[in-house]
Amino acid sequence: MNFTLKLFAAGALTLALVPAAFTQNTDTKPAEPPASSSKPTEAPVSPSAARAAELFEANSVIKTYYLTSVTQQNDANEILIAMRNMLSPRVKVYLVASQNAIVLSATPEQQAIAQRIISDLDRPRKVYRLTFTLAESDSGKRVGIQHFSIIVVADQRTVLKQGDKIPVATGTYEAKNDTGTQTQFQYLDIGISVDATLSDSRDGLRLKSKIEQSSLGQPSLIAGVQEPVIRQTVLEGTSAIQLNKPLTLGGLDVQSTTRHVDIEVIAEPIS
């Protein structure tokens, strides 16, 4: 009986000690990390850099350069980018697209560099005359020939179209003002279309062209409606071309006929 009482007393002692230890641990608070500042640290500006910027501003002058040969804003943008990359970061340069001019605020030394850049890049593009010939034959016999001449500026797209616009019904709808059924139309270009871009480089001339010829065929009855049939001939590609020498772009047979069409082009310099 005495043994049993001793065990109980020991257990009571243990239970009494555990809550005290637990209470002591919970009262201890961990150290809080220092609060971080969200404000970015600004790098100090050295007095010499600030002084150099002040001198640059004090010696800067404003000049306006008018571009005389640039005809597209993309070309003016390329000149502007070249100036920003080549001049000092302190230079202020702006493009006034409406006046085809560049305004520059810089020192006389930087102005001289800018003037050389503009004189090297603002140059007139070469101009050429392209003459396309469509020669049509039937069973080996020449039955027709067409010439189309266009004036092109190097590296600029030029489009020529000749023909008619043919209305084609695309649907009907009921008008809200009680005027009856209205018909919607879409207009198709019928005739000849020439799309050309002539690029001038050190390797010679390169012509990117698309020649499209279309005509009306016999109408077809579809769902009780007479629909027009369009005959179409398209030649598209890129070719190397020499000045004053004819180049055959291609030839093709017209489907369901005995006709054949050869397409030829010649490039001549104008300026």
Side-chain angles (χ1 to χ4, degrees):
M1 184 173 181
N2 293 336
F3 179 74
T4 304
L5 290 174
K6 289 181 179 179
L7 288 177
F8 178 79
L13 179 61
T14 303
L15 293 174
L17 292 176
V18 170
F22 180 79
T23 304
Q24 182 178 2
N25 291 339
T26 55
D27 291 341
T28 304
K29 297 183 179 180
E32 296 182 357
S36 60
S37 175
S38 59
K39 183 178 180 180
T41 304
E42 297 181 358
V45 179
S46 63
S48 59
R51 180 58 179 167
E54 291 177 0
L55 290 175
F56 190 91
E57 288 289 339
N59 296 326
S60 293
V61 294
I62 298 176
K63 287 188 177 182
T64 302
Y65 299 90
Y66 291 93
L67 305 177
T68 58
S69 300
V70 169
T71 57
Q72 294 183 335
Q73 185 171 345
N74 184 57
D75 297 335
N77 290 335
E78 291 181 353
I79 295 177
L80 185 69
I81 293 173
M83 295 177 67
R84 285 177 174 170
N85 291 335
M86 298 301 296
L87 299 177
S88 169
R90 294 191 177 97
V91 169
K92 297 178 182 179
V93 56
Y94 306 94
L95 173 65
V96 184
S98 61
Q99 299 294 324
N100 210 25
I102 292 178
V103 180
L104 191 69
S105 175
T107 60
E109 294 79 8
Q110 292 291 305
Q111 294 282 0
I113 297 175
Q115 190 169 4
R116 289 199 299 269
I117 294 174
I118 292 176
S119 62
D120 288 341
L121 298 180
D122 185 26
R123 293 184 175 183
R125 294 181 181 270
K126 295 182 179 180
V127 182
Y128 302 89
R129 177 187 291 108
L130 291 176
T131 301
F132 292 87
T133 301
L134 279 68
E136 186 176 351
S137 58
D138 193 347
S139 300
K141 181 180 179 181
R142 180 66 58 84
V143 294
I145 188 169
Q146 291 177 296
H147 298 286
F148 299 93
S149 294
I150 57 177
I151 305 300
V152 299
V153 178
D155 299 317
Q156 292 186 9
R157 181 187 176 200
T158 304
V159 178
L160 178 147
K161 289 186 177 183
Q162 183 185 33
D164 302 309
K165 286 186 175 292
I166 305 300
V168 178
T170 58
T172 58
Y173 65 94
E174 294 293 334
K176 295 182 179 180
N177 54 3
D178 298 331
T179 57
T181 302
Q182 302 294 323
T183 304
Q184 295 176 324
F185 290 92
Q186 179 181 357
Y187 289 85
L188 302 179
D189 291 326
I190 302 298
I192 187 74
S193 173
V194 177
D195 189 330
T197 302
L198 188 65
S199 300
D200 191 359
S201 65
R202 294 180 179 179
D203 299 331
L205 296 176
R206 187 167 296 274
L207 175 64
K208 180 180 180 181
S209 61
K210 180 179 180 181
I211 298 93
E212 181 177 351
Q213 187 180 37
S214 56
S215 60
L216 284 175
Q218 292 295 329
S220 177
L221 184 64
I222 301 176
V225 180
Q226 291 285 346
E227 296 290 351
V229 174
I230 310 299
R231 292 197 180 99
Q232 192 176 50
T233 301
V234 179
L235 179 61
E236 182 176 5
T238 302
S239 308
I241 186 173
Q242 297 182 7
L243 290 176
N244 303 312
K245 292 186 178 181
L247 174 67
T248 299
L249 296 176
L252 61 144
D253 294 324
V254 180
Q255 187 178 6
S256 303
T257 68
T258 58
R259 295 185 296 121
H260 181 85
V261 179
D262 289 312
I263 301 176
E264 182 182 273
V265 63
I266 185 171
E268 302 170 290
I270 295 180
S271 63

